[in-house]
Each structure stands twice: as structure tokens, then as C-alpha cells.
Amino acid sequence: MPESSKLATVIAVACLSGGSGKTTTVLNLAIMLSQKGKTLAVDFDPQGNLSQWLGITDLSESATIAETILPDTERMQVKEIIQYPSNEDREGRLLVAPSDYSLSRASDAIAMEPGRERFLKRALKPVVSEYDFIIIDSPPSKGILTYNAILASDLLVIPTECTPKGVTGAVSTFVLVQELAELDFQVPAILGIVPTRDAWAGANQTRMSKAAITALLEALPNIHIFSSVRQSTVVQQTNHAGWSLLEAGEKSLAQPYIEVVDAIVRSK
Ligand SMILES: Nc1ncnc2c1ncn2[C@@H]1O[C@H](COP(=O)(O)OP(=O)(O)OP(=O)(O)O)[C@@H](O)[C@H]1O
Ligand SMILES: [Mg+2]
């Protein structure tokens, strides 16, 4: 990596709408970024989907990202909880900070602590010089965990399902970033929106997908919109196998993620 990139570029993937393709986006970007430099994928969603897709299914005996944001006495270092994905080794360039349901208990435990919105940023500080990229998955709702993911990051990517609900979620995410900025938090630059589950019937884009992308352009005229990820059962299959679309040879489906990776690398 170039000289200017001593510290990791930290990327949050967030959208205040369930099922918008956040975890799919993190999985693809994390694997693709690991081809460019050492990458840490942080699962910051109590659902733990990213951990599961990367083969980390049993966390009963392991500490997770939850332990890194707890109040002083119980807190662990992020280095102590990082694991390798257990389904593909990728030459050791991709590591995971896993999560499970205990993250929602940790969120409750820090609810009254001062500075609680920046505990993930504090947790990642000791490792930012050890990675080229750190990418963070987040839950779909407004709350401390989502604020932590956003405020730990330099860049924000907003995956948006091509439905009215998806568009509302993207606009709410944009408004949240503005609200945090107004409160003098240091907010990430919004790299752009990735429309997901863009449905086509043969050669024709469905009316709902087309309307969703038009609505995004109208509602957020100053935000970059990447190419969209088509709706395809292949995506579900690659997610469950813990592969990127590119690793599965699905270059045209992966094209939007190639664009996002280029934009992340260019921003370094
Ligand atoms: N382009 C796509 N085509 C078909 N299915 C997709 C596509 N993208 C994601 N999916 C599937 O849609 C579901 C939701 O995707 P994903 O888990 O990435 O969204 P999410 O925003 O992380 O959801 P949550 O808000 O629950 O965390 C998953 O089952 C995933 O496999
Ligand atoms: Mg998810």
C-alpha cells in the first residue's frame, strides 16, 4: 500500500432498514478489500450474520466484539477477540471481529455511560495501524450500536433495497448522519448508496426498482449512487458459502462492489 496509508481506512456499512443488503455488502467488500490489503471485518450486529457466513458459528466459548465495548473492568482488547474466518483462509489477509446476541446485552450495559457512542472507535484504536481496511457491519435500527459503527468510521456506504421501505431507510440514514454532525460528532464521508435487490423481469427492470432508484436520486441529489446489485438467488448461495460474488465467478453481479472497492482504495 502507498506511504499515505499507515492507518486503516475504516468503512461503516449502514442503513436504517432491515434486509437492505448490509451484511451482503460487508461480506463482498471485506473479501475484495483483503485482496488489496490486510482487512478486518467487524460484525457489529447482534444478529451475527456476518460471523456465521464467515464460518464462525459457535461463539459459546469465545469472546466477541461485545467484550470490547464494555465498561472498564470487564473490557477486553479487540486483538483478543479477533479470529480467522473458518471456511476460507484467504492467505491470512482477512480477519473477523465476531459478534452474537451478547452484543445487544453490551449495548444495554453501556446505555448510561458517558461517551457511549464512541466505544467502538476506542476499541479499534489499537489496531488501526495494523490493517489497511476495517469494515463494519451494523444493525438495521437507530440506536447506540449503529451510532458506534458510524462514528468509528472514515467512510459510510449505504446499501439500499430497491423498495419504498429501502428508500426511506437510506434517507433516514442520511438524516441521522446530519443529526450527528450537528451535534459536533466527527462523521464519516458518505461514499455512496449501493442499490440492492434490483429486480428485473427478463430485459426489463421492474417498476418498483426503477421507482426506487428515481426516488433516491430525487431525495439525495448530492449523494453518489453506485450501480445496483441485481436480485439473484446466487447472492443467497454465495452469502451462505461465505464467498464474494467475484470469488464465485459472478463478475457482472459483483460489478457494483468492484466500483465501491475502487472508490475506497482511491480515497486512501
Ligand atoms: N442481490 C440480492 N439478491 C437476492 N438476495 C439477496 C441480495 N442481497 C441480499 N440478499 C438476501 O437478502 C437477505 C437480506 O440481506 P442481508 O442480510 O445482506 O441484509 P441486511 O441489511 O444485512 O439485513 P439485516 O437488516 O437483517 O441485518 C439475505 O437473505 C441475503 O442473502
Ligand atoms: Mg445484516
Side-chain angles (χ1 to χ4, degrees):
M1 300 299 294
E3 193 57 19
S4 61
S5 52
K6 288 258 164 60
L7 299 180
T9 301
V10 185
I11 309 117
V13 176
C15 184
L16 296 175
S17 168
S20 65
K22 292 177 291 296
T23 307
T24 302
T25 299
V26 174
L27 178 77
N28 277 274
L29 296 182
I31 294 170
M32 291 162 76
L33 286 169
S34 73
Q35 296 294 312
K36 312 271 179 195
K38 194 173 173 195
T39 300
L40 175 65
V42 178
D43 190 349
F44 209 61
D45 182 352
Q47 296 181 96
N49 294 137
L50 181 68
S51 309
Q52 291 149 19
W53 293 351
L54 288 169
I56 302 170
T57 49
D58 182 7
L59 286 162
S60 53
E61 304 291 319
S62 324
T64 69
I65 194 74
E67 275 77 14
T68 71
I69 60 162
L70 288 174
D72 271 356
T73 48
E74 302 151 88
R75 192 161 65 239
M76 290 176 73
Q77 291 289 318
V78 80
K79 280 181 201 175
E80 299 174 81
I81 65 100
I82 288 173
Q83 300 192 21
Y84 288 102
S86 58
N87 45 10
E88 291 283 337
D89 71 15
R90 299 190 180 87
E91 293 160 26
R93 287 192 303 259
L94 177 63
L95 292 96
V96 196
S99 157
D100 66 4
Y101 198 71
S102 61
L103 184 57
S104 60
R105 284 199 299 273
S107 168
D108 293 342
I110 64 170
M112 303 301 281
E113 297 289 318
R116 57 197 171 265
E117 302 88 355
R118 280 181 290 207
F119 286 3
L120 180 59
K121 189 178 180 84
R122 176 176 64 187
L124 293 176
K125 218 175 243 174
V127 296
V128 281
S129 56
E130 292 179 14
Y131 290 88
D132 298 298
F133 305 101
I134 298 178
I135 184 159
I136 307 170
D137 195 10
S138 62
S141 54
K142 211 171 166 182
I144 287 182
L145 296 177
T146 303
Y147 308 154
N148 266 279
I150 291 174
L151 295 174
S153 302
D154 307 308
L155 300 173
L156 172 64
V157 174
I158 308 177
T160 302
E161 191 184 11
C162 291
T163 60
K165 175 176 82 94
V167 174
T168 304
V171 173
S172 305
T173 310
F174 175 78
V175 171
L176 170 61
V177 173
Q178 281 184 318
E179 285 170 356
L180 291 167
E182 277 163 19
L183 290 165
D184 283 343
F185 285 108
Q186 201 184 329
V187 296
I190 300 180
L191 194 66
I193 288 176
V194 184
T196 66
R197 312 193 70 152
D198 178 9
W200 288 61
N204 300 311
Q205 190 178 30
T206 61
R207 222 182 285 174
M208 186 164 69
S209 288
K210 201 181 277 179
I213 292 172
T214 306
L216 282 172
L217 287 164
E218 279 171 10
L220 302 171
N222 299 320
I223 303 294
H224 178 66
I225 301 192
F226 291 98
S227 315
S228 52
V229 184
R230 296 278 185 105
Q231 168 84 25
S232 166
T233 51
V234 171
V235 179
Q236 282 151 23
Q237 288 158 9
T238 51
N239 282 347
H240 285 279
W243 293 345
S244 69
L245 289 161
L246 210 52
E247 284 174 323
E250 297 286 344
K251 192 157 182 207
S252 62
L253 268 176
Q255 183 55 36
Y257 295 130
I258 296 173
E259 287 176 22
V260 181
V261 167
D262 285 349
I264 293 169
V265 171
R266 270 201 314 273
S267 82
K268 244 184 144 37

